[in-house]
Amino acid sequence: MSILESIQSSADVKKLRRDQLEPLCGELREFIIQNVSQTGGHLSSNLGTVELTVALHRVYDSSVDRIVFDVGHQSYSHKILTGRRDRFDSLRQYQGISGFPKPYEAQDDAFIAGHASNSVSVALGMARARSLKHEYYQVVAVIGDGAMTGGLAYEGLTNAAASGEPMVVILNDNNMSISENVGGTVSMLQSLRSRPGYINFKRWYRNAFSRIPALYRFNHKVKEWLKARLLSENMFSEMGFNYLGPVDGHDLERLETAIRYAREIRGPVLLHVLTKKGKGCEYTEKDPERYHGVSAFDPQTGEMPAASACFSTVFGEALCKLAERDERVVAITAAMASGTGLDAFAAKYPQRFFDVGIAEGHAVAMAGGMAKQGLCPVFAVYSSFLQRGYDMLIHDVGLQKLHAVFAVDRAGLVGSDGETHHGVFDLDYLSAVPGMRIWCPAGFEELRQMLSHAVEEENGPVAIRYPRGGEGRYRDACLEPEHVLREGKDLTIVCYGTMVNSVLDAADRLAEEEISAEVIKLGCVTPNSFELCIKSMSKTGRLLVAEDVCSAGCVGDCVLAEAGLRSVKLRKAKLINLGDGLVTHGSVPELMKLCGLDAEGLTSAARELISGEQA
Ligand SMILES: Cc1ncc(C[n+]2csc(CCOP(=O)(O)OP(=O)(O)O)c2C)c(N)n1
């Protein structure tokens, strides 16, 4: 039996002899590589945190203590050590283990995660709950230097430092976000140096002199004066943290000692740990960015199948072309240059490309400033991460109706990343922004045309929402707010974006059953007067709206409201969408089926609308 096979919990990790720990880390790495090579997932970040996770389980008991992983993409070792090894081959698959911490999966997962920079706030909340309820457990936040570029992390840090609550923030510093980390945090972290003896001395000194108050006060003044001149303070200690480190994050013994020490300090501690992203595997160490998030690959060589064309790369190429003829165009990313297809733009126009770190709210406000002063900012961002910028969308862009373009990638269901990453709330929050127009391309050529239109012809806030992955059977391009894709007489089906593909498949199936569906595709969902929808509904008397967004703020509601206002007599209507928007992980086709949005689901929904009436 391998060492790994003997472990089901933190308690088992504690039972291991010291000489078993390094082999355990080797087994964990091998296990992660083998599994992720089959299922896909986050590789480099997990290989970099193996020792850190083992050390955490040596010191804490995750079934009682609360270990809050920031983003949670680095929590694989934690999951494997806490009873999920046997099922780990189902990682990110439908009904399998999630790629992020999930309390419903195990008590050991302290909190749901997926979006960056909130771990310190969450951990502080838990520490405060512990104090108020007079309970006893430890609280730890594990946050990367990339996540530290997000403003939310600082809100948490300043509050945690001032709170005096005993809690440990472990800064996992690998000098990388997904790609190279950016901004002032990088140089600040680089300048930090180890001061191992200082904290120990401080404790001894307090104990020794506190019994003689006058001497203590005098010495304290001298010490503060000396400290101010001799010791390089850093932002964390200035805030009020007990700063420890940096500690080598691959030296198990030192790491365990440091974490044990941090746990004993009765106040907020920041333990700075240095790790190497992709550690322990040749190809991931060489190119940690490439292996940050992967689909299946060859575990021996690291080779991956060539990527097929997708909306993100089409967007990136189209934006480069626009920038060639329009000097106002600048591009913004929040630490997602390659994911959003902006890497080509970054290489071609480095002066006009801005990576702001994991700071979506800042990116939106900065876009507002740029737009006010005559640039045309294009912020390419994943739909679910743009949620972070909601107030800035309204306050810094919408209120002045500024011309900023939002390329909203990963709209709709994204698949194996699951509920934290599905882009299903954007229609709701974007349509509330004053002046916002929302375009929904259904194919690559339509994306190109809508992007040029947004940049060159619009003059207020514009969003273009498109999904992860590639185009389907619809490959035309139409810039109309709505158009009739297919004429029919029995029912009206309204859709937009790539949803059109399964709607057309459903219309084909219905035709075989002699049900004739009129398909209306919306190009721009907000604003839209729905003239053609009204006309069609007046003819067919039946409405089906298919959308891969949550029900709040869905287009179906708007179409129905318009029909009501215009007294259209509808016999039956059905809105198929994602309800509260909480959809689990799995492949996109599986999830579409689950939600009734695949061709089969739409066909039977249409059948139900017709049934009992036709005869
Ligand atoms: C709000 C938000 N924006 C963007 C992302 C996408 N994202 C996931 S991991 C990551 C990099 C995190 O870097 P770091 O915290 O240093 O962790 P590492 O992967 O280096 O271990 C980013 C940008 C996210 N999860 N949340």
Side-chain angles (χ1 to χ4, degrees):
M1 188 160 83
S2 69
I3 304 171
L4 191 54
E5 280 164 353
S6 70
I7 291 172
Q8 293 296 331
S9 66
S10 301
D12 293 335
V13 182
K14 288 182 188 63
K15 283 183 207 148
L16 295 177
R17 298 188 311 273
R18 203 156 274 291
D19 65 337
Q20 290 178 300
L21 297 180
E22 230 179 270
L24 171 68
C25 292
E27 287 176 24
L28 268 168
R29 283 204 168 84
E30 189 51 34
F31 188 81
I32 290 171
I33 293 168
Q34 288 305 330
N35 276 282
V36 176
S37 73
Q38 301 296 311
T39 61
H42 289 96
L43 187 59
S44 307
S45 314
N46 281 292
L47 295 179
T49 48
V50 169
E51 285 82 6
L52 175 57
T53 310
V54 169
L56 280 167
H57 283 280
R58 294 280 287 177
V59 178
Y60 296 104
D61 174 355
S62 62
S63 68
V64 182
D65 297 323
R66 304 288 69 194
I67 303 174
V68 183
F69 288 99
D70 202 281
V71 184
H73 64 311
Q74 76 291 59
S75 62
Y76 294 0
S77 297
H78 163 77
K79 291 193 176 220
I80 296 163
L81 294 173
T82 52
R84 285 163 277 182
R85 179 177 41 81
D86 287 348
R87 286 179 293 144
F88 207 69
D89 57 357
S90 68
L91 181 71
R92 294 157 56 86
Q93 317 294 305
Y94 180 55
Q95 296 190 323
I97 296 286
S98 163
F100 296 93
K102 291 281 180 287
Y104 66 71
E105 206 174 273
Q107 159 70 10
D108 297 84
D109 290 5
F111 208 73
I112 202 160
H115 288 198
S117 316
N118 65 340
S119 60
V120 181
S121 307
V122 170
L124 177 60
M126 290 176 163
R128 286 192 155 132
R130 174 192 59 192
S131 295
L132 287 173
K133 293 175 75 187
H134 307 290
E135 291 175 341
Y136 184 78
Y137 51 85
Q138 308 292 331
V139 178
V140 186
V142 180
I143 179 167
D145 58 308
M148 276 276 183
T149 59
L152 179 57
Y154 294 87
E155 297 175 25
L157 285 170
T158 51
N159 198 198
S163 74
E165 288 286 351
M167 62 183 272
V168 179
V169 177
I170 295 186
L171 169 58
N172 170 31
D173 181 2
N174 57 21
N175 210 10
M176 289 199 71
S177 191
I178 289 180
S179 45
E180 213 169 282
N181 206 4
V182 296
T185 323
V186 176
S187 44
M188 190 272 290
L189 292 178
Q190 273 164 357
S191 74
L192 292 180
R193 290 289 173 267
S194 184
R195 300 178 302 160
Y198 175 63
I199 298 268
N200 288 339
F201 167 76
K202 201 159 112 178
R203 225 151 86 134
W204 166 83
Y205 163 88
R206 264 206 201 121
N207 282 343
F209 286 92
S210 57
R211 281 176 233 116
I212 320 165
L215 188 58
Y216 178 81
R217 275 198 301 275
F218 174 73
N219 275 356
H220 188 70
K221 280 202 177 125
V222 174
K223 189 198 76 173
E224 287 303 305
W225 183 84
L226 277 174
K227 199 171 89 177
R229 274 146 195 82
L230 299 180
L231 284 171
S232 61
E233 285 290 332
N234 64 63
M235 188 189 76
F236 303 114
S237 49
E238 295 276 1
M239 278 178 176
F241 274 100
N242 293 287
Y243 171 83
L244 300 178
V247 178
D248 178 348
H250 302 297
D251 181 332
L252 268 165
E253 204 166 329
R254 286 198 179 180
L255 204 48
E256 192 180 320
T257 309
I259 296 174
R260 257 181 224 293
Y261 185 69
R263 187 187 62 176
E264 295 314 313
I265 296 176
R266 305 310 302 156
V269 178
L270 189 130
L271 172 59
H272 188 175
V273 173
L274 302 181
T275 60
K276 186 165 177 46
K277 194 159 176 166
K279 172 85 176 170
C281 168
E282 208 181 314
Y283 47 84
T284 53
E285 281 199 21
K286 236 188 229 160
D287 193 351
E289 177 178 354
R290 182 156 182 249
Y291 295 94
H292 174 88
V294 291
S295 43
F297 64 94
D298 179 344
Q300 291 305 318
T301 60
E303 242 168 82
M304 287 185 245
S308 38
C310 62
F311 280 93
S312 312
T313 46
V314 170
F315 157 77
E317 287 159 13
L319 192 66
C320 284
K321 288 209 176 112
L322 282 172
E324 228 170 85
R325 55 179 197 246
D326 187 342
E327 284 194 348
R328 299 170 311 141
V329 172
V330 293
I332 305 171
T333 181
M336 303 297 291
S338 62
T340 54
L342 276 182
D343 34 10
F345 189 102
K348 200 162 174 202
Y349 300 105
Q351 307 297 326
R352 293 157 69 181
F353 168 77
F354 303 93
D355 181 350
V356 299
I358 310 178
E360 292 82 5
H362 158 63
V364 176
M366 189 179 84
M370 288 170 150
K372 182 79 174 75
Q373 297 309 109
L375 292 177
C376 177
V378 179
F379 177 25
V381 56
Y382 289 10
S383 163
S384 77
F385 302 151
L386 184 57
Q387 287 161 202
R388 283 280 165 87
Y390 184 47
D391 177 58
M392 291 77 183
L393 281 168
I394 293 177
H395 182 269
D396 300 311
V397 175
L399 293 189
Q400 296 176 83
K401 308 258 170 71
L402 293 168
H403 182 212
V405 178
F406 300 93
V408 184
D409 199 331
R410 295 334 188 247
L413 295 171
V414 297
S416 44
D417 278 335
E419 60 261 56
T420 50
H421 285 60
H422 293 314
V424 296
F425 301 104
D426 56 9
L427 217 60
D428 187 26
Y429 70 74
L430 286 171
S431 55
V433 175
M436 182 67 80
R437 290 175 173 271
I438 309 172
W439 290 91
C440 302
F444 294 163
E445 185 48 30
E446 216 166 67
L447 169 60
R448 290 185 193 101
Q449 293 191 16
M450 286 178 177
L451 183 65
S452 328
H453 175 82
V455 167
E456 294 176 330
E457 281 158 59
E458 299 271 18
N459 57 15
V462 198
I464 303 171
R465 81 183 287 276
Y466 46 90
R468 175 172 175 267
E471 60 186 353
R473 62 184 272 189
Y474 176 89
R475 301 202 169 181
D476 299 339
C478 176
L479 269 183
E480 296 301 320
E482 48 179 352
H483 78 282
V484 180
L485 258 191
R486 189 174 175 135
E487 290 190 4
K489 59 176 178 41
D490 296 328
L491 83 155
T492 303
I493 308 184
V494 178
C495 62
Y496 50 89
T498 48
M499 182 58 63
V500 69
N501 297 308
S502 32
V503 165
L504 286 174
D505 288 348
D508 285 346
R509 291 177 187 213
L510 290 166
E512 283 167 21
E513 299 171 26
E514 315 228 319
I515 298 173
S516 121
E518 180 142 299
V519 176
I520 299 188
K521 176 181 154 324
L522 307 177
C524 176
V525 293
T526 310
N528 195 316
S529 60
F530 302 114
E531 289 298 336
L532 296 182
C533 297
I534 296 293
K535 210 169 140 198
S536 178
M537 285 185 282
S538 309
K539 175 172 68 175
T540 66
R542 298 183 192 91
L543 171 71
L544 179 71
V545 186
E547 307 175 73
D548 54 351
V549 295
C550 67
S551 60
C554 68
V555 167
D557 277 354
C558 304
V559 176
L560 276 182
E562 200 59 36
L565 286 172
R566 306 236 206 143
S567 309
V568 176
K569 290 204 170 40
L570 274 176
R571 278 188 277 178
K572 271 190 175 180
K574 209 171 184 108
L575 308 185
I576 306 191
N577 53 51
L578 305 175
D580 63 6
L582 301 183
V583 182
T584 183
H585 53 275
S587 70
V588 173
E590 277 168 328
L591 300 180
M592 291 295 251
K593 189 176 173 58
L594 179 75
C595 302
L597 284 166
D598 63 337
E600 197 186 319
L602 295 174
T603 309
S604 56
R607 244 185 248 125
E608 274 173 40
L609 280 184
I610 303 285
S611 66
E613 286 185 24
Q614 250 184 349

